[in-house]
Amino acid sequence: SHTIESLRGIEGVMVAVEDLKPDIAGDGLSKEKIQTDVELKLRFAGITVLDENAWLNERGQPYLYVNINSNKNTGTGMYSFNISVVLRQNVIVARNPDVLISADTWHADHVGYVNVKNAAGLRESIKDVVDIFINDYLAVNTK
């Protein structure tokens, strides 16, 4: 089970945004803007955002993976979408402590629809899912 306890003691995260489908990128949703939105929200909440060098040296190498899966329906002029925000970090396999793997230890999803003309509006929904992460993180990491 994914638990907020897995967030305890994480001092910072790197943010990785998955490439968008070409159609939604063409309709105004930008991977770069999503990256900036997420990083700003984390920093504003007091969570350290790691660059790749700092991340490589961070214990457990935790990163927040953001994936937007979208399907365009030209008939209705709508996108159906699924926003997935996942915290991945290195974990030790209980039955063999010599095995270290990167695993999803926390996640939140949001499913919905957005008008093709307002594809960029998905940024607000992404921020809402990131807020769930921030709330869980802050619940176990008091500053």
Side-chain angles (χ1 to χ4, degrees):
S1 70
H2 296 58
T3 169
I4 71 170
E5 270 306 311
S6 72
L7 304 178
R8 188 181 299 279
I10 290 177
E11 291 178 12
V13 297
M14 185 172 70
V15 174
V17 178
E18 185 61 63
D19 289 341
L20 301 171
K21 287 189 177 171
D23 56 4
I24 201 162
D27 283 328
L29 190 65
S30 148
K31 177 181 172 177
E32 293 71 29
K33 285 196 172 91
I34 294 167
Q35 180 92 22
T36 303
D37 287 346
V38 173
E39 290 184 358
L40 279 173
K41 271 198 98 44
L42 294 173
R43 286 193 180 102
F44 190 72
I47 300 170
T48 302
V49 175
L50 306 171
D51 64 20
E52 197 165 356
N53 282 340
W55 174 77
L56 285 169
N57 294 313
E58 186 71 22
R59 214 172 94 225
Q61 296 181 329
Y63 67 99
L64 205 59
Y65 171 71
V66 181
N67 184 26
I68 295 88
N69 189 12
S70 58
N71 284 301
K72 187 175 190 173
N73 184 329
T74 44
T76 61
M78 301 289 278
Y79 279 102
S80 59
F81 65 83
N82 174 44
I83 297 163
S84 180
V85 175
V86 177
L87 190 282
R88 288 188 178 155
Q89 60 184 322
N90 294 339
V91 298
I92 293 168
V93 176
R95 74 177 177 282
N96 184 354
D98 293 333
V99 178
L100 188 71
I101 59 166
S102 181
D104 301 353
T105 63
W106 180 96
H107 80 268
D109 294 282
H110 177 69
V111 176
Y113 294 90
V114 66
N115 193 293
V116 166
K117 294 182 182 71
N118 188 35
L122 253 175
R123 287 169 64 189
E124 291 309 311
S125 298
I126 295 164
K127 290 178 192 175
D128 291 344
V129 184
V130 172
D131 275 336
I132 300 169
F133 170 76
I134 289 169
N135 290 337
D136 283 358
Y137 177 91
L138 294 176
V140 294
N141 292 288
T142 46
K143 291 282 175 198

